[in-house]
Amino acid sequence: EPEVTQTPSHQVTQMGQEVILRCVPISNHLYFYWYRQILGQKVEFLVSFYNNEISEKSEIFDDQFSVERPDGSNFTLKIRSTKLEDSAMYFCASSVGPRGPDTQYFGPGTRLTVL
Amino acid sequence: SQKIEQNSEALNIQEGKTATLTCNYTNYSPAYLQWYRQDPGRGPVFLLLIRENEKEKRKERLKVTFDTTLKQSLFHITASQPADSATYLCAGGEGQNFVFGPGTRLSVLP
């Protein structure tokens, strides 16, 4: 069964450094998402991406964050200058298409630790 | 702001019983609700979706209801098993973006 994959599984970085989290969505899916989950807290929406542009973004997704689909398979989340509070699990998800309610399939996550 | 609440942080039940989890939403009217299972350190796994015009949905031992009057969804697991122990997340959507609840951690005791 096709699945969303994410790399790396764990990323440790120093405060102020840039990180890029990578995702490979399910191949026939058109919508892509990033979520984060701080330890012990709820899953929070960051951004959705469709047709090579951001569809929606939350208040959390400020200028420090950016997303890109650099090729036909990868979807990346970049954090330009990491802060301690960026430490969290980051989940990528994808869904089939833009019409109506749509199930999102989540990847296993990248645990980001900012020191 | 849009909010999804799940009334129990944790729920313990005996194996074989029916687990009932509650999800309430405020300050918006989601067109659909989805339920996910999340195991520790893993991503959410989709279980069921119910639209606002549907009263009930079933899948094997799972059943979900959607009451737009009460602004509530109930999620039932019948004949529960220890393997059902996990955190269950409710998420409400109006389009492609979800608001997640905090989850209910279910423990099924043998």
Side-chain angles (χ1 to χ4, degrees):
Chain A
E1 188 173 325
E3 57 185 20
V4 176
T5 59
Q6 290 184 243
T7 55
S9 58
H10 192 183
Q11 174 88 49
V12 181
T13 190
Q14 294 290 326
M15 190 170 58
Q17 295 296 304
E18 174 183 287
V19 294
I20 297 176
L21 309 183
R22 291 184 166 79
C23 167
V24 178
I26 294 173
S27 62
N28 65 333
H29 286 186
L30 301 177
Y31 251 95
F32 315 120
Y33 312 80
W34 283 101
Y35 291 85
R36 79 171 185 191
Q37 187 174 32
I38 295 170
L39 187 64
Q41 297 187 25
K42 66 178 183 179
V43 176
E44 298 175 291
F45 168 74
L46 293 178
V47 66
S48 61
F49 190 87
Y50 170 69
N51 201 24
N52 282 320
E53 60 183 24
I54 290 174
S55 178
E56 290 188 48
K57 61 183 181 179
S58 72
E59 293 172 356
I60 303 168
F61 194 89
D62 61 22
D63 292 342
Q64 294 294 320
F65 292 90
S66 62
V67 289
E68 195 178 29
R69 185 138 163 93
D71 53 45
S73 60
N74 289 284
F75 179 52
T76 62
L77 174 70
K78 182 193 289 186
I79 309 175
R80 264 181 268 283
S81 179
T82 50
K83 308 185 195 76
L84 295 176
E85 55 264 36
D86 293 327
S87 295
M89 196 78 159
Y90 288 80
F91 294 109
C92 173
S94 68
S95 63
V96 172
R99 290 197 182 84
D102 203 3
T103 299
Q104 295 185 15
Y105 295 86
F106 283 73
T110 293
R111 180 172 300 285
L112 176 65
T113 302
V114 182
L115 302 175
Chain B
S1 61
Q2 299 173 350
K3 200 170 179 182
I4 293 272
E5 293 172 322
Q6 294 184 246
N7 67 338
S8 296
E9 187 175 324
L11 179 67
N12 296 330
I13 63 165
Q14 286 298 128
E15 183 176 4
K17 301 291 186 186
T18 296
T20 299
L21 284 63
T22 305
C23 170
N24 294 286
Y25 54 91
T26 55
N27 296 328
Y28 78 127
S29 298
Y32 56 96
L33 290 166
Q34 301 199 23
W35 285 86
Y36 287 79
R37 169 183 174 140
Q38 188 176 27
D39 291 287
R42 309 291 294 272
V45 174
F46 170 76
L47 297 174
L48 279 171
L49 176 153
I50 185 165
R51 293 171 174 77
E52 61 180 339
N53 62 349
E54 297 174 321
K55 291 280 188 262
E56 183 179 296
K57 258 306 186 41
R58 289 176 186 261
K59 179 182 172 183
E60 297 173 355
R61 294 185 296 111
L62 308 179
K63 184 178 87 171
V64 63
T65 63
F66 194 164
D67 189 326
T68 54
T69 303
L70 293 178
K71 297 194 171 189
Q72 183 179 84
S73 174
L74 298 178
F75 176 79
H76 306 272
I77 306 174
T78 58
S80 59
Q81 305 164 0
D84 294 326
S85 298
T87 296
Y88 290 85
L89 310 177
C90 174
E94 291 181 286
Q96 292 301 318
N97 303 318
F98 296 169
V99 175
F100 275 87
T104 295
R105 189 173 62 255
L106 175 68
S107 297
V108 181
L109 308 173

